Amino acid sequence: MKTKVCIIGGGPSGLLLSQLLHLKGIDNVLLEKHSREYVLARIRAGVLEHGFAKLMREAQCGERMDREGEIHEGFFIAHDGRMDRVDLHKYSGGNSVVVYGQTELTKDLYEARDRTGGQVIHNAEDVKPHDLTSSTPYVTYRRGDDIERVDCDYVIGADGFHGVSRKSIPKDVLKEYEKVYPFGWLGVLSRTKPVSPELIYARHERGFALCSLRSQVLSRYYIQVPLTDTVEQWSDDAFWAELKRRLPDEVAARMVTGPSIEKSIAPLRSFVAEPMRWGNLFLAGDAAHIVPPTGARGLNSAASDIYYLYHALLAHYQQGDDSGLENYSAKALARVWKAQRFSWWMTTLLHTFPDSIEYDRKLQQTDLAYLFSSEAAQRSLAENYVGLPF
Ligand code: APR
Ligand code: PHB
């Protein structure tokens, strides 16, 4: 098979790029290791920055997001028994975020690829890129006993943190930066009315908590837990009790609890791989960088990669201009590192670190006191949370 762009990975990054290129008549093939059902069973984050929402509309995938997603113009930080609101709208020049589950967004992208006749190959096993530094790269994969081959101009590695693409870059070229946090998030999804129409990020001595939502009848809650904890250790009752303990009394009092429909523990990690281009391989999304979920940047960092790549490929195919491709890695990484800084800051501000000393805790309290006494600090938080410009 021959195509222009071979995309490895059918998560949000790969699907969005595939759809955007297709709409401009740029032929592409997407190879996904798993079945569609498997990909759509994953529960992930749910906050989209306005730039991501705009890109979804450009990809003709924004209709349900605009209908069912909720526009949020602020969120709360609970600390020291009180709630302070961050006014995103006021402090980001009128911007907001859209609360819409990544699972729904991925479903919409798959439907768009179906509708417009996209070439999405599921259950592609042993995907392997070849000759990436030549002008004739290709990708092989296995389907049952058959080895298939896709010849292309460019390979896009959008295959997530555990994918094969990043691993194809030689060790002496690739530099990886990593920070692993000494805790995880235990998340619960429940068919209950959310405790608050806006998200609540809570700092508490017992550990961080987050009250989020997918809709007004579907809640998503998280609590910080030690990495040694297992899901089996946490009954629903134990989860609700611990969550309530970490929230201000008036919030805990109106919490509606119910059976969990999903429960999982995710470790927290910051990770960046540089460069994001090697020969004719371009990395995008989780394949190149991971953030802890505290600042809701994961999916949104992927969006800026896709924006830069899409425009670089358009310029190449439509105008013969390769400057976007040449600059892709530097441009994408500049924004990636800002998302890294912001996620690290939000994580450090709101979590209880097992090895922290009294001095660290005083600094956390002071950082929060400063935040809510300074319009400049709230402006900085707001502009990062709604997403820095692409
Ligand atoms: N071959 C083909 N596909 C692969 C391979 C492989 N060797 N390895 C992984 N994949 C697929 C995975 O099955 C997955 O569907 O690549 C996809 C990568 O998707 P994600 O992990 O979702 O990564 P990405 O699309 O970059 O999404 C950005 O933002 O909210 C965050 O981490 C969250 O998934 C989210 C991410
Ligand atoms: C979520 O709803 O899953 C969510 C929201 C905000 C975050 C992280 C996760 O910062």
Side-chain angles (χ1 to χ4, degrees), residues 43-47 99-102 185 189 199 201 208 210-214 219-222 292-298 346 385:
I43 307 283
R44 295 255 176 102
V47 176
V99 172
Y100 189 61
Q102 186 176 321
W185 279 17
L189 190 67
L199 272 65
Y201 290 85
F208 169 81
L210 170 61
C211 306
S212 183
L213 60 143
R214 292 290 175 272
S219 299
R220 181 73 168 157
Y221 296 109
Y222 299 94
T294 326
R297 295 297 83 204
M346 280 274 280
Y385 195 89

Side-chain angles (χ1 to χ4, degrees), residues 20 30 51 60 84 118 181 208 230 254 311 341-342 357:
L20 287 165
L30 188 151
Q60 299 179 6
D84 280 310
Y181 298 84
F208 169 81
T230 59
R254 60 185 150 87
H311 285 280
R341 184 207 68 82
F342 178 65
I357 55 174

Side-chain angles (χ1 to χ4, degrees), residues 87-96 379 382-383 386:
D87 191 332
L88 294 174
H89 190 75
K90 178 174 171 190
Y91 289 120
S92 71
N95 283 321
S96 52
R379 208 176 288 285
E383 79 164 348
V386 300

Side-chain angles (χ1 to χ4, degrees), residues 31-52:
L31 302 175
E32 164 58 48
K33 180 179 181 172
H34 294 289
S35 68
R36 183 181 298 203
E37 294 67 38
Y38 178 95
V39 174
L40 290 176
R42 295 188 293 222
I43 307 283
R44 295 255 176 102
V47 176
L48 312 181
E49 62 185 42
H50 65 104
F52 194 109

